[in-house]
Amino acid sequence: MPLVVQKFGGTSVADSQKILAAARKAVRAHQTGNQVVMVVSAMGKNTDTLIGLAQEVNERPPAREMDMLLSTGEQVSVALMAMAIDSLGYKAVSLTGAQIGIKTDSSHTKARIHSISTDRIKTLLNEGNIVIAAGFQGIDDNLNITTLGRGGSDTTAVALSAVLGADQCEIYTDVDGVYTTDPRVLPEACLVRQVCYDEMLELASLGAGVLHSRSVEFGKKFNVPIHVRSSLSDVPGSIIVDDSETAALAVSGAALTKDEALISVFDVPDVPGTIFQIFAPIADKKITVDMIVQNVAENGNTAVSFTVPRNEVRDAIDAIQPSVEKMGGRIGLVDENVSKVSVVGLGMAEQTGVANRMFQTLANAAVNMEIITTSEIKISALVKREQALNALRTVHSEFALDKVESKEPTQLPSRDTSNQVNVAEVIERLQRDTGMESLMIDDISLDDSQSRITLSKVPNAPGIAAQLFDRIAAAGVFVDMIVQSYASSQIADITFTMPREQFDNAITVANQVCEDFGCDKVDFKKTIAKLSVSGVGLRSHTGVAIGMFQALSDANINIETMNTSEVRVNVIVDGDSGQTGIQCLRDAFRHSLR
């Protein structure tokens, strides 16, 4: 009998009428011959209310007790949902995460799933029940209640779909599907009927709002098609699978991460191990670091800037303070008034000029970029929070994302069962050995065919980056990585890489731009090595970048610059260190390679 997992978010179960509406959707699926598992979030703003109550009695409540408190929201929802289904004349049983057997690690408020027992759910389904599972929660080895972090019900739903071998995983929300940006922020956003996992991973991690990034990680890792639908209508919605109908577009989506904080560390030694010493304490606290940029060394010292979620900035500062002071550095800037604007698209890797267009359109809108990072399918710029909405609207319009025409799929795909045995074997191995959410690396690679150029102390004003890369493009130079690092509110460093055979053209342009704009100097290396680790959900696995930093530090290899995304972490090192670097990374991640 086909099995369908349906997840209903907080807005979809916000009151009794919406609970009954969700119950009817589950009953209809059951009536058409499916076994049905529902995953339910806390009602409406219940979680926010509980967080507010906690902070009224304790400004920094213990994480364990927060999990005890927040897990009660889902317990209310699942019980009411089971009652609603009973009122419609069908059998239903509600279960907490512990009753299901969702085992997690002990990282309270941001736990990761180790294993899920399916015995009880399968027995109840075979008895004709609709099973109502509490999202967002589990239990650790010491029987402590744990929660998976905000948006964790999405993760619960896709994880259950994986272990149960569900034919469909439906995520019901208050929007019709996946849009080119959050339609609650920009009404002109367009619905996209089909999105690939990699694009959705980037958009979800950037705050797209429709899905939690860890749920997409599960989907990609375990071959679970995710169907995003409206709980308020029966429109087809969007599906997330391996292939994307937008792959030909340079940019298929834009996102705004509103509540970011920028931390800059100055005067740390430019030697192997510095980056590791800064970020290891942050990884230990499982704080997600997003944009990381490093300035070119000056007088043997360098500066490193990075962003974290604004609500974790104090924990991040507390974590790095001892290491920074020990190295003789200082935390020179903390800016909590910044937001990140990003564009995402698979077509970026094949089309030139995307970054130029984004930089120019932001310059035309008088939006200044504090920090820039690029990856193969993403460009992100850090801007002042008051300029963020205008920046998002500007880039969304520039790439015609308000005019995307998306065809409705003629048939929604079910889960591909051709490799079902392999998927089941992978799930069984991970549950037995390292956990379902453990890291899986697809590839570790070395590109030693590039050069690096850095313009130091560039005036930090709208339009400078656009003019630089317009000139670079006009010289026929294909730019790979772009990193604009923070020096002060008036100046910045801009680093970019290009194929070595195009270095002469690039350095000519860079020298001319340096003279025209009054930059301090042009620094370069004609022979560099780019080391890359790619896989699923690398940014949310805080240990990936740290593992790279540690492995390179142990090999006495200095990192010159880097960028991170959900699917790839890249670091630039001296060209002579490339072969040694890739070998030490392969050794470090050998247990995580597929």
Side-chain angles (χ1 to χ4, degrees):
M1 184 179 293
L3 172 62
V4 175
V5 174
Q6 298 180 328
K7 178 263 177 178
F8 292 86
T11 55
S12 302
V13 294
D15 55 43
S16 59
Q17 292 307 307
K18 289 183 177 178
I19 289 173
L20 282 165
R24 292 187 191 101
K25 288 184 182 291
V27 166
R28 284 200 297 271
H30 185 76
Q31 288 172 332
T32 56
N34 296 295
Q35 292 184 324
V36 179
V37 175
M38 297 181 77
V39 176
V40 182
S41 299
M43 296 173 63
K45 299 294 184 180
N46 183 275
T47 300
D48 292 334
T49 300
L50 293 174
I51 291 173
L53 285 171
Q55 292 177 340
E56 286 178 17
V57 299
N58 189 332
E59 289 185 0
R60 299 182 73 173
R64 180 189 181 279
E65 304 311 323
M66 284 300 294
D67 279 354
M68 286 286 287
L69 177 67
L70 298 183
S71 64
T72 62
E74 279 69 24
Q75 191 167 335
V76 171
S77 297
V78 294
L80 290 172
M81 187 64 72
M83 294 175 191
I85 290 173
D86 180 78
S87 75
L88 298 173
Y90 289 82
K91 294 167 61 179
V93 176
S94 64
L95 299 173
T96 67
Q99 289 171 330
I100 295 168
I102 298 178
K103 298 293 290 294
T104 74
D105 62 20
S106 299
S107 302
H108 287 290
T109 73
K110 53 182 75 174
R112 287 187 175 271
I113 297 173
H114 276 175
S115 63
I116 302 177
S117 172
T118 59
D119 295 343
R120 188 171 187 181
I121 289 181
K122 287 181 177 179
T123 298
L124 291 169
L125 290 172
N126 291 335
E127 291 172 353
N129 293 284
I130 295 174
V131 176
I132 321 297
F136 175 66
Q137 61 182 247
I139 194 168
D140 70 7
D141 287 338
N142 295 318
L143 305 183
N144 293 304
I145 294 173
T146 57
T147 64
L148 308 180
R150 297 305 294 263
S153 292
D154 292 342
T155 304
T156 302
V158 185
L160 282 172
S161 299
V163 297
L164 292 168
D167 297 274
Q168 290 280 348
C169 178
E170 300 176 338
I171 305 291
Y172 286 92
T173 182
D174 57 349
V175 294
D176 295 337
V178 178
Y179 281 72
T180 51
T181 195
D182 190 338
R184 292 163 292 197
V185 177
L186 290 188
E188 61 265 38
C190 291
L191 180 67
V192 180
R193 297 294 188 184
Q194 187 166 312
V195 185
C196 77
Y197 290 123
D198 284 352
E199 288 176 317
M200 196 65 235
L201 272 170
E202 296 289 3
L203 289 169
S205 73
L206 295 168
V210 68
L211 272 178
H212 192 255
S213 61
R214 281 165 58 192
S215 68
V216 188
E217 290 176 26
F218 268 109
K220 181 176 181 179
K221 188 186 292 185
F222 300 126
N223 187 35
V224 179
I226 303 170
H227 187 187
V228 181
R229 308 187 65 179
S230 170
S231 59
L232 306 176
S233 68
D234 291 323
V235 297
S238 306
I239 54 173
I240 302 165
V241 288
D242 272 334
D243 299 318
S244 170
E245 64 175 18
T246 58
L249 299 176
V251 171
S252 58
L256 172 63
T257 312
K258 187 175 182 181
D259 294 319
E260 292 279 277
L262 171 66
I263 300 173
S264 291
V265 177
F266 297 116
D267 301 327
V268 290
D270 182 42
V271 296
T274 292
I275 298 298
F276 172 66
Q277 290 182 61
I278 292 173
F279 291 104
I282 296 178
D284 289 342
K285 290 195 173 186
K286 289 187 167 56
I287 297 171
T288 300
V289 175
D290 190 3
M291 305 171 82
I292 305 175
V293 295
Q294 181 178 351
N295 294 24
V296 169
E298 188 172 353
N299 300 320
N301 286 335
T302 189
V304 180
S305 300
F306 59 95
T307 61
V308 296
R310 186 167 60 158
N311 62 354
E312 294 188 296
V313 65
R314 297 302 157 194
D315 290 337
I317 292 170
D318 291 344
I320 67 172
Q321 189 85 50
S323 296
V324 171
E325 290 180 353
K326 185 177 181 180
M327 289 186 287
R330 59 187 175 88
I331 299 174
L333 173 76
V334 178
D335 188 349
E336 298 184 44
N337 186 40
V338 291
S339 299
K340 181 178 61 176
V341 177
S342 306
V343 294
V344 172
L346 285 181
M348 237 179 253
E350 305 297 331
Q351 300 185 36
T352 60
V354 179
N356 310 37
R357 288 176 61 187
M358 179 173 174
F359 301 160
Q360 188 60 62
T361 195
L362 289 176
N364 293 343
V367 175
N368 194 39
M369 298 177 290
E370 306 280 338
I371 285 178
I372 301 167
T373 61
T374 66
S375 70
E376 284 72 11
I377 65 169
K378 179 182 73 172
I379 303 168
S380 293
L382 200 69
V383 302
K384 291 298 184 184
R385 186 171 292 113
E386 59 267 21
Q387 294 183 308
L389 183 58
N390 182 39
L392 176 66
R393 178 169 280 114
T394 298
V395 298
H396 190 268
S397 174
E398 169 64 23
F399 292 104
L401 296 177
D402 53 347
K403 298 179 176 63
V404 171
E405 294 185 5
S406 190
K407 296 180 181 179
E408 185 174 317
T410 55
Q411 183 177 2
L412 294 172
S414 294
R415 192 174 186 181
D416 181 7
T417 58
S418 62
N419 67 342
Q420 198 65 49
V421 174
N422 290 339
V423 171
E425 288 175 352
V426 170
I427 292 173
E428 181 182 0
R429 173 173 61 81
L430 291 177
Q431 291 197 132
R432 181 183 66 247
D433 298 337
T434 56
M436 288 186 69
E437 290 196 75
S438 61
L439 179 65
M440 290 184 70
I441 299 295
D442 292 323
D443 185 48
I444 299 172
S445 62
L446 164 65
D447 179 355
D448 55 6
S449 65
Q450 295 195 44
S451 300
R452 186 265 300 166
I453 294 175
T454 298
L455 280 76
S456 296
K457 298 182 180 178
V458 181
N460 190 12
I464 299 297
Q467 291 184 56
L468 167 63
F469 289 106
D470 275 345
R471 295 194 196 183
I472 291 291
V477 176
F478 180 82
V479 174
D480 182 13
M481 288 174 59
I482 300 173
V483 175
Q484 176 175 308
S485 53
Y486 186 91
S488 74
S489 58
Q490 288 79 40
I491 57 174
D493 291 350
I494 300 179
T495 296
F496 60 99
T497 66
M498 78 297 302
R500 194 169 303 133
E501 63 268 20
Q502 297 176 359
F503 173 79
D504 290 341
N505 287 348
I507 196 68
T508 299
V509 174
N511 283 323
Q512 187 61 56
V513 168
C514 183
E515 182 178 338
D516 292 347
F517 293 157
C519 307
D520 182 58
K521 64 178 180 179
V522 176
D523 185 88
F524 64 87
K525 273 193 178 177
K526 196 165 183 179
T527 303
I528 61 168
K530 182 172 83 168
L531 298 165
S532 303
V533 174
S534 58
V536 180
L538 300 191
R539 192 178 68 88
S540 66
H541 284 86
T542 54
V544 177
I546 297 305
M548 293 182 73
F549 301 160
Q550 182 172 17
L552 295 172
S553 172
D554 291 345
N556 202 36
I557 296 174
N558 197 31
I559 296 171
E560 296 187 11
T561 191
M562 71 205 75
N563 62 28
T564 61
S565 74
E566 280 293 317
V567 297
R568 187 183 296 265
V569 178
N570 299 317
V571 299
I572 298 298
V573 301
D574 186 85
D576 293 338
S577 302
Q579 291 297 331
T580 302
I582 192 170
Q583 187 57 55
C584 73
L585 292 181
R586 285 171 177 164
D587 291 342
F589 292 108
R590 63 184 181 279
H591 297 303
S592 300
L593 277 167
R594 282 185 185 268

